């Protein structure tokens, strides 16, 4: 990963964990770009903090929450939620107030069913907006996070690649998915991309539910660098929503943690098809798991920003635009004279 991109991603919001996985006494390990973090709920709030105690570098993922504070498992030091201020050192006399000792904490947002954070206090890009998320009549479920040996751009491009459906997803979508990808146009608004495509699944997907397994329109949206989502419109007006996020977990950008969301409206869960949110969650889980060995076995492990280093067809138009737009973002960031992070 080049230095400019590394500095940009340090100032980017990334998901760390599902909100539902953050308990009242447990500590969850997380990572952005090789910086180990912990996520915990204490004192009525979620805190993201450095992953190691400032005293002797103990891994705080092995700690717990006691008296509303994060407790180091080595010497029992207690750190206040939100601020990270050390409030108790058990080896000192009772009542001793530690001065000037803090565990570094990071910005926190709870959005789209996940806890998000940023390694710097001044994010360069706005927090990603998922258009249509949370509309009345929709219900959502959140996928199991998975660590993968691939780059952030690699898996982001994969979500929007319709040409691979008939070859990678025969187990979930069936053997009759339309192969040809129609021409399409991409709308760009600053660092957002949008386009729509029709496809035909051939009637066998989702157990052959006719209204969900044949013709459908997919409207793709992407907010750089990696917030990708798609809204599917079925012939009867029913809708499905899929979102995917990727958090780089090593400094080289060759490993990511994958997060996803599935949503359905009332028409999907009622009427002749009557597919429940749980059934749709399981269906999408299987689709993503079909993708994982693909993205982990591409060379290079991250999509190149040089559009001339790989061959493209008209079906890959989104990838060409995405790579060029990403390079434009990096160039703008570099031109702004952003100093290297300390």
């Amino acid at each position: 990963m080049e230095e400019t991109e590394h500095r940009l991603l340090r100032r980017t919001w990334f998901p760390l964990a599902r909100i539902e996985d953050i308990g009242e006494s447990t500590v969850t390990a997380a990572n952005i770009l090789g910086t180990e973090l912990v996520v915990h709920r204490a004192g009525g709030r979620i805190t993201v903090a450095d992953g190691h105690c400032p005293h002797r570098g103990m891994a705080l993922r092995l700690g717990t929450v006691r008296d509303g504070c994060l407790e180091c498992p080595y010497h029992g030091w207690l750190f206040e939620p939100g601020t990270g201020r050390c409030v108790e050192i058990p080896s000192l006399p009772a009542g001793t107030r530690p001065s000037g000792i803090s565990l570094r904490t990071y910005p926190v947002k709870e959005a789209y069913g996940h806890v998000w954070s940023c390694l710097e206090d001044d994010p360069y890009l706005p927090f990603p907006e998922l258009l249509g998320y949370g509309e009345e009549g929709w219900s959502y479920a959140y996928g199991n996070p998975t660590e993968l040996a691939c780059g952030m751009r690699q898996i982001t491009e994969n979500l929007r690649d319709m040409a691979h459906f008939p070859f990678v997803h025969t187990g979930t979508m069936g053997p009759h998915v339309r192969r040809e990808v129609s021409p399409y146009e991409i709308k760009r608004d600053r660092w957002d991309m949008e386009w729509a495509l029709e496809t035909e699944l051939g009637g066998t997907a989702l157990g052959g539910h006719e209204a969900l397994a044949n013709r459908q329109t997919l409207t793709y949206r992407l907010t750089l660098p990696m917030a990708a989502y798609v809204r599917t419109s079925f012939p009867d007006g029913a809708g499905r929503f899929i979102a995917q996020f990727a958090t780089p977990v090593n400094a080289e950008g060759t490993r990511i943690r994958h997060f996803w969301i599935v949503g359905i409206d009332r028409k999907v869960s009622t009427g002749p098809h009557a597919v429940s949110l749980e059934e749709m969650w399981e269906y999408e889980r299987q689709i993503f798991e079909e993708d994982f060995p693909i993205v982990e076995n591409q060379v290079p492990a991250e999509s190149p920003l040089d559009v001339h280093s790989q061959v493209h067809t008209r079906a890959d138009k989104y990838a060409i635009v995405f790579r060029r737009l990403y390079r434009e973002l990096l160039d703008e960031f570099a031109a702004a004279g952003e100093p290297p992070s300390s």
Side-chain angles (χ1 to χ4, degrees):
M1 179 185 295
E2 62 184 75
E3 181 192 7
T4 298
E5 182 177 13
H6 192 273
R7 288 191 285 114
L8 171 67
L9 297 184
R10 285 188 60 86
R11 294 179 59 185
T12 297
W13 288 101
F14 288 107
L16 299 181
R18 298 184 297 189
I19 293 174
E20 64 192 75
D21 293 332
I22 309 302
E24 292 295 335
S25 60
T26 57
V27 178
T28 299
N31 196 308
I32 301 175
L33 294 170
T35 298
E36 294 185 36
L37 306 168
V38 289
V39 186
H40 63 284
R41 188 192 303 272
R45 66 190 298 179
I46 290 179
T47 299
V48 174
D50 265 342
H52 293 87
C53 181
H55 176 219
R56 289 295 181 267
M58 181 62 198
L60 294 173
R61 68 179 183 277
L62 302 177
T64 189
V65 175
R66 177 173 67 84
D67 297 335
C69 295
L70 174 63
E71 181 183 61
C72 175
Y74 194 9
H75 298 98
W77 289 27
L78 291 182
F79 299 95
E80 185 178 61
T83 67
R85 183 174 64 89
C86 182
V87 296
E88 181 181 324
I89 300 177
S91 59
L92 299 181
T96 299
R97 293 183 175 275
S99 176
I101 301 174
S102 291
L103 176 69
R104 182 178 177 182
T105 59
Y106 296 84
V108 179
K109 282 187 182 289
E110 297 178 45
Y112 315 130
H114 292 83
V115 177
W116 298 65
S117 190
C118 179
L119 291 180
E120 303 293 345
D121 293 330
D122 55 342
Y124 184 75
L125 297 170
F127 191 80
E129 179 183 3
L130 303 188
L131 298 178
Y133 180 90
E135 290 180 350
E136 184 179 355
W138 284 72
S139 54
Y140 300 89
Y142 307 93
N144 297 316
T146 305
E147 189 162 319
L148 300 171
C150 71
M152 176 184 69
R153 297 191 302 273
Q154 195 89 289
I155 199 163
T156 303
E157 286 191 10
N158 175 80
L159 178 73
R160 301 164 296 138
D161 180 2
M162 192 179 288
H164 79 278
F165 288 2
F167 307 98
V168 177
H169 298 303
T170 53
T172 50
M173 297 182 185
H176 305 301
V177 178
R178 181 185 176 188
R179 295 188 173 200
E180 181 181 352
V181 177
S182 300
Y184 57 97
E185 295 299 323
I186 297 175
K187 300 176 184 177
R188 173 193 168 182
D189 181 11
R190 187 72 170 147
W191 309 121
D192 296 337
M193 298 167 53
E194 178 183 322
W195 68 99
L197 276 167
E198 275 196 0
T199 191
E200 170 63 63
L201 297 188
T204 55
L206 273 168
H209 285 76
E210 184 176 352
L212 303 180
N214 289 306
R215 181 173 58 84
Q216 50 199 262
T217 300
L218 285 72
T219 300
Y220 290 92
R221 294 189 177 95
L222 168 67
T223 297
L224 265 62
M226 56 77 214
Y229 55 113
V230 55
R231 183 160 176 166
T232 303
S233 300
F234 298 104
D236 66 347
R240 178 178 65 203
F241 176 93
I242 306 296
Q244 173 189 268
F245 315 110
T247 300
V249 297
N250 66 349
E252 297 76 22
T254 55
R255 296 195 68 86
I256 59 111
R257 195 152 178 80
H258 176 262
F259 300 87
W260 59 276
I261 303 169
V262 58
I264 58 174
D265 67 7
R266 290 195 191 100
K267 288 185 178 180
V268 172
S269 57
T270 59
H273 17 277
V275 174
S276 68
L277 180 61
E278 291 76 16
E279 290 172 311
M280 190 65 78
W281 185 95
E282 177 61 20
Y283 176 63
E284 295 300 337
R285 182 193 64 79
Q286 293 175 27
I287 289 177
F288 278 121
E289 290 187 358
E290 289 170 339
D291 282 323
F292 293 163
I294 299 297
V295 297
E296 290 193 309
N297 286 282
Q298 293 177 257
V299 176
E302 179 61 298
S303 297
L305 294 179
D306 174 12
V307 298
H308 301 293
S309 64
Q310 294 181 324
V311 176
H312 308 281
T313 73
R314 74 178 191 187
D316 303 313
K317 186 174 184 177
Y318 71 92
I320 297 172
V321 175
F322 172 52
R323 295 178 189 190
R324 286 175 172 165
L325 195 59
Y326 200 102
R327 171 53 65 189
E328 185 178 329
L329 172 61
L330 292 179
D331 290 345
E332 179 186 279
F333 180 75
E338 300 299 327
S341 301
S342 58

